[in-house]
Amino acid sequence: MSDKKLWSGRFNEPTDAFVEAFTASVEFDQRLYRYDIQGSIAHARMLAKCGILTEAERDAITTGLEKIGEQIGRGEFEWSIGLEDVHMNIESALTADIGDAGKKLHTGRSRNDQVATDVRLWLRDEIEVIRTEIKRLQEALLTVAEREADTILPGFTHLQTAQPVTFGHHMLAWFEMLGRDSERLADCNRRMNVMPLGAAALAGTTYPIDRHYTAELLGFSRPSENSLDSVSDRDFAIEFAAAASIAMMHLSRMSEELIIWSSAQFAFITLSDSFCTGSSIMPQKKNPDVPELVRGKSGRIFGHLIGLLTLMKGQPLAYNKDNQEDKEPLFDTVDNLKGSLKVFADMIPAITCRKQNMREATMKGFATATDLADYLVRKGTPFRDAHEVVGKAVALCVEKSCDLAELTLAELQAFSPAIGEDVFAVLTLEGSVAARNHIGGTAPDQVRAAIARAKTALVN
Ligand code: ARG
């Protein structure tokens, strides 16, 4: 295959060797080859349908491109930096193989609408893969939620013990976050799935093309409206990076909890050995590397979002070479988001709850203080007064280093005569969680009902 530049006509001097390497994108955009070929075949079919190519030319192009695709798949294609990008590498190889018909493929299009199409086709598939991984992680969370629907741990606000919650309920909180992530990606995909092909360089083309037909062949919902916007729009890349950033922020928060919970000080959970590593100097260590790394990776994904926004902010219409810089951040975002989701989906079912430790920690923090206040309200005390009474009871417990349930009835009654023998039932952890028995509450019955709804939602 010749390295002759496809645009060399008007040039007298060869490209500076460093500039050639500096401006080339083939080292990373070759990743798009399947979509470049898919787009080109659809384009050729449309050209033939509109009488711009003969059927024989269309067939030669199609067979030739398919052959190149297989060659690339087998790792036998020779990429050339001199041919700049994936598009010109493939087109040159096609012409080398089938001759003049290959030279006609680029009729009525430009690399500007071509690359805008390729990236959309690629990202559309990746979004599907990512959404499948999200679903797998959600299923893992439901498995743990089901197993631990009755397991009690302290719920925190300000990282101070607040009220008892169930571990199943906590898993379902994560499930909700991921559900929104999946929806956001689907929404991004819906807006992205319009076809730029036909916009050509920026203004459209003089050939009698049928953009609806190409859009249909490629599974786009419709051709894009405006040619200038079509070749320059990278909103979808930014939207995707934003959705990916939010998803990584969620994974990072989950990571943080897993790390805290698996510390010796909390000791709420054990992560499986297969997801931890040791220390080269401290023999006792078992480090939660996987969640730590996921927490760390959120940083680069947020960086890509800012990078893409900055890439676009100064660009006049229409296409500018700046846009070539959209690919590496997108590729990196996809790879790391997929990897993080995968490792989470594998790791989560292998969490073991250390129930006794969770229980003892819940007992320590006066987690049922609100239950006592609610009890007083049921006995006719206004909530603010009840709050005050319980605050005083807690102060006594702090002084005596005991829990509310360990005070005697006489001690409790000294704070409020409304308190009776039945108070001790509300001070238990089981009573506390079971009482929050409404949709969205932490009661085990509600957790089980929420799991059932979640399962139905996941299959639909
Ligand atoms: N490699 C280019 C990119 O990724 C393809 C489009 C180039 N178009 C051009 N007019 N130089 O954006």
Side-chain angles (χ1 to χ4, degrees), residues 360-435:
E360 281 164 20
T362 320
M363 301 298 291
K364 264 187 239 158
F366 310 111
T368 54
T370 317
D371 297 87
L372 178 55
D374 289 344
Y375 166 88
L376 287 167
V377 169
R378 284 195 298 277
K379 301 273 174 180
T381 314
F383 183 77
R384 273 291 152 237
D385 296 340
H387 189 285
E388 176 78 13
V389 165
V390 178
K392 289 198 172 119
V394 166
L396 176 63
C397 289
V398 171
E399 200 184 305
K400 296 184 59 180
S401 292
C402 72
D403 189 62
L404 283 169
E406 292 166 322
L407 293 177
T408 63
L409 182 59
E411 280 171 321
L412 285 165
Q413 282 173 335
F415 296 111
S416 165
I419 297 177
E421 190 60 61
D422 56 350
V423 72
F424 293 102
V426 310
L427 296 179
T428 67
L429 301 184
E430 280 70 21
S432 171
V433 292

Coordinates of all heavy atoms in Angstrom, one line a residue, residues 360-435:
E360 N -22.8 -4.4 67.6 CA -22.2 -3.7 68.7 C -22.0 -2.2 68.4 O -22.2 -1.4 69.3 CB -20.9 -4.4 69.1 CG -21.1 -5.6 69.9 CD -19.9 -6.6 70.0 OE1 -18.8 -6.1 69.7 OE2 -20.1 -7.8 70.2
A361 N -21.6 -1.9 67.2 CA -21.4 -0.5 66.9 C -22.7 0.3 66.9 O -22.8 1.4 67.3 CB -20.8 -0.4 65.5
T362 N -23.8 -0.4 66.5 CA -25.1 0.3 66.5 C -25.5 0.5 68.0 O -26.1 1.6 68.3 CB -26.1 -0.6 65.8 OG1 -25.6 -1.2 64.6 CG2 -27.3 0.3 65.4
M363 N -25.2 -0.5 68.8 CA -25.6 -0.3 70.3 C -24.9 0.9 70.9 O -25.5 1.5 71.8 CB -25.3 -1.6 71.0 CG -25.9 -2.9 70.6 SD -27.7 -2.9 70.7 CE -27.9 -2.9 72.4
K364 N -23.7 1.1 70.4 CA -22.9 2.1 71.1 C -23.3 3.6 70.9 O -23.1 4.4 71.7 CB -21.4 2.0 70.6 CG -20.5 1.2 71.5 CD -19.1 1.3 70.9 CE -18.5 -0.1 70.6 NZ -17.4 -0.1 69.6
G365 N -24.0 3.8 69.8 CA -24.2 5.2 69.4 C -25.5 5.8 69.7 O -25.9 6.8 69.1
F366 N -26.3 5.3 70.6 CA -27.6 5.8 71.0 C -28.5 5.9 69.7 O -29.2 6.8 69.5 CB -27.6 7.2 71.6 CG -26.6 7.2 72.8 CD1 -25.4 7.9 72.7 CD2 -26.8 6.5 73.9 CE1 -24.5 8.0 73.7 CE2 -25.9 6.5 75.0 CZ -24.8 7.3 74.9
A367 N -28.4 4.8 68.9 CA -29.0 4.9 67.6 C -30.6 4.8 67.7 O -31.3 5.2 66.8 CB -28.6 3.7 66.7
T368 N -31.1 4.4 68.9 CA -32.5 4.4 69.0 C -33.1 5.6 69.7 O -34.3 5.6 70.1 CB -33.0 3.1 69.7 OG1 -32.3 3.0 71.0 CG2 -32.6 1.8 68.9
A369 N -32.3 6.6 69.9 CA -32.8 7.8 70.6 C -34.0 8.4 69.9 O -34.9 8.9 70.6 CB -31.6 8.9 70.6
T370 N -34.0 8.4 68.6 CA -35.2 9.0 67.8 C -36.4 8.1 68.1 O -37.5 8.6 68.2 CB -34.9 9.0 66.3 OG1 -33.6 9.5 66.1 CG2 -35.9 10.0 65.6
D371 N -36.2 6.8 68.3 CA -37.3 5.9 68.5 C -37.9 6.3 69.9 O -39.2 6.2 70.0 CB -36.8 4.5 68.5 CG -36.3 4.0 67.2 OD1 -35.1 4.3 66.9 OD2 -37.1 3.6 66.4
L372 N -37.1 6.6 70.8 CA -37.6 7.0 72.2 C -38.4 8.3 72.1 O -39.5 8.4 72.7 CB -36.4 7.1 73.2 CG -36.8 7.5 74.6 CD1 -37.8 6.6 75.2 CD2 -35.5 7.6 75.5
A373 N -37.9 9.2 71.3 CA -38.6 10.5 71.1 C -40.0 10.2 70.4 O -41.0 10.7 70.9 CB -37.8 11.4 70.3
D374 N -40.0 9.3 69.4 CA -41.2 9.0 68.7 C -42.2 8.3 69.7 O -43.4 8.6 69.6 CB -40.9 8.1 67.5 CG -40.2 8.9 66.4 OD1 -40.2 10.1 66.4 OD2 -39.7 8.2 65.5
Y375 N -41.7 7.5 70.6 CA -42.5 6.8 71.6 C -43.2 7.9 72.4 O -44.4 7.8 72.7 CB -41.6 5.9 72.4 CG -42.2 5.4 73.7 CD1 -42.9 4.2 73.7 CD2 -42.0 6.0 74.9 CE1 -43.4 3.7 74.8 CE2 -42.5 5.5 76.1 CZ -43.2 4.4 76.1 OH -43.8 3.9 77.2
L376 N -42.4 8.9 72.9 CA -43.0 9.9 73.7 C -44.1 10.7 73.0 O -45.1 11.1 73.6 CB -41.9 10.8 74.2 CG -41.0 10.2 75.3 CD1 -39.8 11.1 75.5 CD2 -41.8 10.1 76.6
V377 N -43.9 10.9 71.7 CA -44.9 11.6 70.9 C -46.2 10.8 70.9 O -47.2 11.4 71.0 CB -44.3 11.9 69.5 CG1 -45.4 12.4 68.6 CG2 -43.2 12.9 69.6
R378 N -46.0 9.5 70.7 CA -47.2 8.6 70.7 C -47.9 8.7 72.0 O -49.1 8.5 72.1 CB -46.8 7.2 70.3 CG -46.5 7.0 68.8 CD -46.5 5.5 68.5 NE -45.5 4.7 69.2 CZ -44.2 4.6 68.8 NH1 -43.8 5.3 67.7 NH2 -43.3 3.9 69.5
K379 N -47.2 9.0 73.1 CA -47.8 9.1 74.4 C -48.4 10.5 74.7 O -48.7 10.8 75.8 CB -46.8 8.7 75.5 CG -46.3 7.3 75.4 CD -47.1 6.3 76.1 CE -46.6 4.9 75.8 NZ -47.4 3.8 76.5
G380 N -48.3 11.3 73.7 CA -48.9 12.7 73.8 C -47.9 13.8 74.1 O -48.3 15.0 74.2
T381 N -46.6 13.5 74.1 CA -45.6 14.6 74.4 C -45.3 15.3 73.0 O -45.1 14.6 72.0 CB -44.3 14.0 74.9 OG1 -44.6 13.1 75.9 CG2 -43.3 15.1 75.4
P382 N -45.3 16.6 73.0 CA -45.0 17.3 71.7 C -43.5 17.0 71.3 O -42.7 16.8 72.2 CB -45.1 18.8 72.0 CG -45.9 18.9 73.3 CD -45.7 17.6 74.0
F383 N -43.3 16.8 70.0 CA -42.0 16.3 69.6 C -40.8 17.1 70.1 O -39.8 16.5 70.6 CB -41.9 16.3 68.0 CG -40.5 15.7 67.6 CD1 -40.3 14.3 67.6 CD2 -39.5 16.5 67.2 CE1 -39.1 13.8 67.3 CE2 -38.2 16.0 66.8 CZ -38.1 14.6 66.9
R384 N -40.9 18.4 70.1 CA -39.7 19.2 70.7 C -39.4 18.9 72.1 O -38.3 18.8 72.5 CB -40.0 20.7 70.5 CG -39.6 21.3 69.1 CD -38.0 21.3 69.0 NE -37.7 21.2 67.6 CZ -37.0 20.2 67.0 NH1 -36.4 19.3 67.8 NH2 -36.7 20.2 65.7
D385 N -40.5 18.7 72.9 CA -40.3 18.4 74.3 C -39.7 17.0 74.4 O -38.8 16.7 75.3 CB -41.6 18.4 75.1 CG -42.2 19.8 75.1 OD1 -41.3 20.8 74.9 OD2 -43.4 20.0 75.4
A386 N -40.2 16.1 73.6 CA -39.7 14.7 73.6 C -38.2 14.7 73.3 O -37.4 14.0 73.9 CB -40.4 13.9 72.6
H387 N -37.8 15.5 72.3 CA -36.4 15.7 71.9 C -35.5 16.0 73.1 O -34.5 15.5 73.3 CB -36.3 16.7 70.8 CG -35.0 16.8 70.1 ND1 -33.9 17.4 70.6 CD2 -34.6 16.4 68.8 CE1 -32.9 17.4 69.8 NE2 -33.3 16.7 68.7
E388 N -36.0 17.0 73.8 CA -35.3 17.5 75.0 C -35.2 16.4 76.1 O -34.1 16.2 76.6 CB -36.1 18.7 75.5 CG -35.6 19.3 76.8 CD -34.5 20.2 76.6 OE1 -34.2 20.6 75.4 OE2 -33.8 20.6 77.6
V389 N -36.2 15.7 76.3 CA -36.2 14.6 77.3 C -35.2 13.5 76.9 O -34.3 13.1 77.8 CB -37.6 13.9 77.4 CG1 -37.6 12.6 78.1 CG2 -38.6 14.9 78.1
V390 N -35.2 13.2 75.7 CA -34.3 12.1 75.2 C -32.8 12.6 75.3 O -31.9 11.9 75.7 CB -34.6 11.6 73.8 CG1 -33.7 10.5 73.4 CG2 -36.1 11.0 73.8
G391 N -32.7 13.9 74.9 CA -31.3 14.4 75.0 C -30.8 14.3 76.4 O -29.6 13.9 76.6
K392 N -31.6 14.6 77.4 CA -31.2 14.5 78.8 C -30.9 13.0 79.2 O -29.9 12.7 79.9 CB -32.2 15.0 79.7 CG -32.4 16.6 79.6 CD -33.1 17.2 80.8 CE -33.0 18.7 80.7 NZ -34.3 19.3 80.6
A393 N -31.7 12.1 78.7 CA -31.5 10.7 78.9 C -30.1 10.2 78.3 O -29.4 9.5 79.0 CB -32.6 9.8 78.4
V394 N -29.9 10.7 77.1 CA -28.6 10.4 76.5 C -27.4 10.9 77.3 O -26.4 10.2 77.5 CB -28.5 10.9 75.0 CG1 -27.1 10.9 74.5 CG2 -29.5 10.1 74.1
A395 N -27.6 12.1 77.8 CA -26.5 12.7 78.6 C -26.2 11.8 79.8 O -25.0 11.6 80.2 CB -26.9 14.1 79.0
L396 N -27.2 11.3 80.4 CA -27.1 10.4 81.6 C -26.3 9.2 81.2 O -25.4 8.7 81.9 CB -28.4 10.1 82.2 CG -28.4 9.1 83.4 CD1 -27.6 9.7 84.6 CD2 -29.8 8.7 83.8
C397 N -26.7 8.6 80.0 CA -26.0 7.4 79.5 C -24.5 7.7 79.2 O -23.7 6.9 79.6 CB -26.6 7.0 78.2 SG -28.3 6.3 78.4
V398 N -24.2 8.9 78.7 CA -22.8 9.2 78.4 C -22.1 9.2 79.8 O -21.0 8.6 79.9 CB -22.7 10.6 77.7 CG1 -21.3 11.0 77.7 CG2 -23.3 10.5 76.3
E399 N -22.7 9.8 80.8 CA -22.1 9.9 82.1 C -21.9 8.5 82.7 O -20.8 8.2 83.2 CB -23.1 10.6 83.0 CG -22.5 11.2 84.3 CD -23.6 11.9 85.1 OE1 -24.3 12.8 84.5 OE2 -23.7 11.5 86.3
K400 N -22.9 7.6 82.5 CA -22.8 6.2 83.0 C -22.1 5.2 82.1 O -22.0 4.0 82.4 CB -24.2 5.7 83.4 CG -25.0 6.5 84.4 CD -26.3 5.8 84.7 CE -26.1 4.4 85.2 NZ -27.4 3.8 85.6
S401 N -21.8 5.7 80.9 CA -21.2 4.8 79.9 C -22.1 3.6 79.6 O -21.7 2.4 79.7 CB -19.8 4.2 80.3 OG -18.9 5.3 80.3
C402 N -23.4 3.9 79.4 CA -24.3 2.8 79.0 C -25.2 3.2 77.9 O -25.2 4.3 77.5 CB -25.1 2.4 80.3 SG -26.4 3.6 80.7
D403 N -26.0 2.3 77.4 CA -26.9 2.6 76.3 C -28.3 2.9 76.9 O -28.6 2.6 78.1 CB -27.0 1.4 75.4 CG -27.8 1.7 74.1 OD1 -27.3 2.6 73.4 OD2 -28.9 1.1 73.9
L404 N -29.1 3.5 76.1 CA -30.5 3.9 76.5 C -31.2 2.7 77.1 O -31.9 2.8 78.1 CB -31.3 4.5 75.4 CG -30.9 6.0 75.0 CD1 -31.6 6.3 73.7 CD2 -31.4 6.9 76.1
A405 N -31.1 1.6 76.4 CA -31.8 0.3 76.8 C -31.4 -0.2 78.1 O -32.0 -1.0 78.8 CB -31.7 -0.7 75.7
E406 N -30.2 0.3 78.6 CA -29.7 -0.2 79.9 C -30.1 0.7 81.1 O -29.8 0.3 82.2 CB -28.1 -0.3 79.8 CG -27.7 -1.4 78.8 CD -26.2 -1.3 78.5 OE1 -25.7 -0.2 78.4 OE2 -25.5 -2.3 78.4
L407 N -30.8 1.8 80.8 CA -31.3 2.6 81.9 C -32.5 1.8 82.5 O -33.2 1.1 81.9 CB -31.7 4.0 81.4 CG -30.6 4.9 80.9 CD1 -31.2 6.2 80.4 CD2 -29.6 5.2 82.0
T408 N -32.7 2.1 83.8 CA -33.8 1.4 84.5 C -35.1 2.2 84.2 O -35.0 3.4 83.8 CB -33.7 1.4 86.0 OG1 -33.6 2.7 86.5 CG2 -32.4 0.7 86.4
L409 N -36.2 1.6 84.4 CA -37.5 2.3 84.1 C -37.6 3.5 85.0 O -38.0 4.6 84.6 CB -38.7 1.3 84.4 CG -40.0 1.9 84.1 CD1 -40.2 2.4 82.6 CD2 -41.1 0.9 84.4
A410 N -37.1 3.4 86.3 CA -37.2 4.5 87.2 C -36.3 5.7 86.7 O -36.7 6.9 86.7 CB -36.7 4.1 88.6
E411 N -35.1 5.3 86.2 CA -34.2 6.4 85.7 C -34.9 7.1 84.5 O -34.8 8.3 84.4 CB -32.9 5.8 85.2 CG -31.9 5.5 86.3 CD -30.7 4.7 85.9 OE1 -30.9 3.7 85.1 OE2 -29.6 5.0 86.4
L412 N -35.5 6.3 83.6 CA -36.2 6.9 82.4 C -37.3 7.8 82.9 O -37.5 8.9 82.3 CB -36.6 5.8 81.5 CG -35.5 5.2 80.6 CD1 -36.0 3.9 80.0 CD2 -35.0 6.1 79.6
Q413 N -38.1 7.3 83.8 CA -39.3 8.0 84.2 C -39.0 9.3 84.9 O -39.8 10.2 85.0 CB -40.2 7.1 85.2 CG -41.0 6.1 84.3 CD -41.7 5.1 85.2 OE1 -41.3 4.8 86.3 NE2 -42.8 4.6 84.7
A414 N -37.8 9.4 85.5 CA -37.3 10.6 86.1 C -37.3 11.8 85.0 O -37.4 12.9 85.3 CB -35.9 10.5 86.7
F415 N -37.1 11.4 83.8 CA -37.1 12.4 82.7 C -38.5 12.7 82.2 O -38.8 13.8 81.7 CB -36.2 11.9 81.5 CG -34.8 11.8 81.9 CD1 -34.2 10.5 82.0 CD2 -34.0 12.9 82.2 CE1 -32.8 10.4 82.3 CE2 -32.7 12.8 82.6 CZ -32.1 11.5 82.6
S416 N -39.4 11.7 82.2 CA -40.7 11.9 81.7 C -41.6 10.8 82.3 O -41.4 9.6 82.1 CB -40.8 11.8 80.2 OG -42.1 11.6 79.8
P417 N -42.7 11.2 83.0 CA -43.6 10.3 83.6 C -44.4 9.5 82.5 O -45.0 8.5 82.8 CB -44.6 11.1 84.5 CG -44.4 12.5 83.9 CD -43.1 12.6 83.3
A418 N -44.4 10.0 81.3 CA -45.1 9.3 80.2 C -44.5 8.0 79.8 O -45.1 7.2 79.2 CB -45.1 10.2 79.0
I419 N -43.2 7.8 80.3 CA -42.6 6.5 79.9 C -43.1 5.4 80.7 O -43.2 5.5 82.0 CB -41.0 6.7 80.1 CG1 -40.5 7.8 79.2 CG2 -40.3 5.3 79.9 CD1 -39.0 8.1 79.3
G420 N -43.4 4.3 80.1 CA -43.9 3.1 80.7 C -43.0 1.9 80.4 O -42.0 1.9 79.7
E421 N -43.4 0.7 81.0 CA -42.7 -0.5 80.8 C -42.5 -0.9 79.3 O -41.5 -1.5 78.9 CB -43.5 -1.6 81.5 CG -42.8 -3.0 81.7 CD -41.5 -2.9 82.5 OE1 -41.5 -2.5 83.7 OE2 -40.5 -3.2 81.9
D422 N -43.5 -0.5 78.5 CA -43.4 -0.9 77.1 C -42.3 -0.1 76.3 O -42.1 -0.4 75.1 CB -44.8 -0.6 76.4 CG -45.3 0.8 76.6 OD1 -44.6 1.6 77.4 OD2 -46.2 1.2 75.9
V423 N -41.6 0.8 77.0 CA -40.6 1.6 76.3 C -39.4 0.7 75.7 O -38.8 1.0 74.7 CB -40.0 2.7 77.2 CG1 -39.1 2.1 78.3 CG2 -39.2 3.7 76.4
F424 N -39.1 -0.4 76.5 CA -38.0 -1.2 76.1 C -38.1 -1.8 74.8 O -37.1 -2.0 74.1 CB -37.6 -2.2 77.2 CG -37.2 -1.5 78.5 CD1 -38.0 -1.3 79.6 CD2 -35.9 -0.9 78.5 CE1 -37.6 -0.6 80.7 CE2 -35.5 -0.2 79.7 CZ -36.4 0.0 80.8
A425 N -39.3 -2.1 74.4 CA -39.5 -2.7 73.0 C -39.0 -1.8 71.9 O -38.5 -2.2 70.9 CB -41.0 -3.1 72.8
V426 N -39.2 -0.5 72.1 CA -38.8 0.5 71.0 C -37.3 0.7 71.1 O -36.8 1.3 70.1 CB -39.6 1.8 71.1 CG1 -41.1 1.6 71.1 CG2 -39.1 2.7 72.2
L427 N -36.7 0.4 72.2 CA -35.3 0.6 72.3 C -34.4 -0.5 71.6 O -33.2 -0.3 71.5 CB -34.8 0.9 73.7 CG -35.5 2.1 74.4 CD1 -35.0 2.3 75.8 CD2 -35.2 3.4 73.6
T428 N -35.0 -1.6 71.2 CA -34.3 -2.6 70.6 C -34.0 -2.2 69.1 O -34.8 -1.5 68.5 CB -35.0 -4.0 70.6 OG1 -36.1 -3.8 69.7 CG2 -35.4 -4.4 71.9
L429 N -32.9 -2.8 68.6 CA -32.5 -2.4 67.2 C -33.5 -3.0 66.2 O -34.0 -2.3 65.3 CB -31.1 -3.0 66.9 CG -30.0 -2.5 67.8 CD1 -28.7 -3.0 67.3 CD2 -30.0 -1.0 67.9
E430 N -34.0 -4.2 66.5 CA -35.0 -4.8 65.6 C -36.3 -4.0 65.6 O -36.8 -3.8 64.5 CB -35.3 -6.3 66.0 CG -34.2 -7.3 65.6 CD -32.9 -7.2 66.4 OE1 -32.9 -6.6 67.5 OE2 -31.9 -7.6 65.8
G431 N -36.7 -3.6 66.8 CA -37.9 -2.8 66.9 C -37.8 -1.5 66.1 O -38.7 -1.1 65.4
S432 N -36.6 -0.9 66.2 CA -36.3 0.4 65.6 C -36.4 0.3 64.0 O -37.1 1.0 63.4 CB -34.9 0.9 66.0 OG -34.6 2.0 65.2
V433 N -35.8 -0.7 63.5 CA -35.8 -0.8 62.0 C -37.2 -1.3 61.5 O -37.7 -0.8 60.5 CB -34.7 -1.7 61.4 CG1 -33.3 -1.1 61.6 CG2 -34.7 -3.1 61.9
A434 N -37.8 -2.2 62.3 CA -39.1 -2.8 61.8 C -40.1 -1.7 61.8 O -41.1 -1.7 61.0 CB -39.5 -3.9 62.7
A435 N -40.0 -0.7 62.7 CA -41.0 0.4 62.8 C -41.0 1.3 61.6 O -41.9 2.0 61.3 CB -40.7 1.2 64.1

